[in-house]
Amino acid sequence: MAARRQAESKLNYLAYHDPLTGLANRRAFLERLDQSIVEAGLHRQRLAVLFIDLDQFKQVNDTLGHPVGDELLVAVARRLAPQVRLIDLFARLGGDEFICLMEAVRDADAVAATARAFISAFDQPFQVDEHALYLSTSVGICLYPDDGTDAGTLMRNADTAMYRAKALGRGHFHFYT
């Protein structure tokens, strides 16, 4: 019986966590976002979705190989995860895309502070094996209910804002407009 419970627990963990970084995965994020939208609607609160993409990550994989890229993603996750509040959710969507759900957001300034913290986390190089990797990140932000009232719209708009941040020169954040 104990072995069965342990196996079920492991399967549940694998279903909701990214195997590389140990962060929540897309499925866990979407389920939490759906729940948070309902709660925010009931309590007339705001929430924010921050879409985080590593700038020029493909060059790392192409020049140094996927094992180095994977180690870099783990290092990025370790450096970014502490930047969020305990009530928030930081997850890896896949590839070099991360996402953050900020609940009970006071105002856009609080969200901007978190985006700045994510960007500042890249001020120091990432040490992977013998490589010092200098990277930047771009962050797109959208707010509930201003920029969408369902998970799909919020994620799409945060992604759009992230591409606008990249177009502004990378290493920036941009609110969806």
Side-chain angles (χ1 to χ4, degrees):
M1 212 50 162
R4 180 184 169 125
R5 275 192 298 257
Q6 187 176 17
E8 287 173 356
S9 177
K10 184 174 182 173
L11 284 174
N12 188 53
Y13 180 86
L14 292 172
Y16 289 97
H17 291 84
D18 175 57
L20 182 64
T21 63
L23 294 174
N25 63 14
R26 177 184 297 268
R27 179 180 181 185
F29 184 85
L30 288 171
E31 286 184 17
R32 171 88 173 266
L33 179 56
D34 284 336
Q35 293 169 356
S36 297
I37 289 169
V38 171
E39 288 291 318
L42 289 172
H43 301 293
R44 293 201 165 108
Q45 293 180 329
R46 298 174 79 191
L47 59 85
V49 174
L50 292 81
F51 202 102
I52 303 122
D53 188 77
L54 306 185
D55 297 328
Q56 301 174 336
F57 176 75
K58 184 178 181 320
Q59 289 181 343
V60 172
N61 275 344
D62 290 350
T63 59
L64 301 175
H66 289 274
V68 170
D70 286 351
E71 286 185 51
L72 175 60
L73 291 171
V74 171
V76 166
R78 282 192 198 126
R79 198 177 289 182
L80 293 183
Q83 307 305 320
V84 303
R85 303 171 303 173
L86 292 176
I87 65 168
D88 300 332
L89 177 64
F90 183 67
R92 179 172 176 234
L93 291 180
D96 64 331
E97 297 176 336
F98 296 86
I99 197 160
C100 178
L101 169 62
M102 293 181 68
E103 299 186 68
V105 171
R106 290 187 322 266
D107 54 37
D109 290 341
V111 180
T114 299
R116 280 189 207 92
F118 286 149
I119 291 167
S120 294
F122 286 78
D123 287 348
Q124 299 298 315
F126 291 87
Q127 192 65 41
V128 178
D129 294 335
E130 70 276 2
H131 308 286
L133 303 174
Y134 293 85
L135 292 157
S136 61
T137 191
S138 297
V139 182
I141 304 166
C142 73
L143 301 171
Y144 167 91
D146 312 30
D147 303 324
T149 56
D150 64 89
T153 301
L154 290 169
M155 289 186 63
R156 189 171 43 255
N157 291 346
D159 187 44
T160 298
M162 183 272 303
Y163 278 105
R164 180 69 179 136
K166 283 186 180 288
L168 293 172
R170 302 177 193 265
H172 291 86
F173 68 91
H174 188 75
F175 282 88
Y176 179 79
T177 53

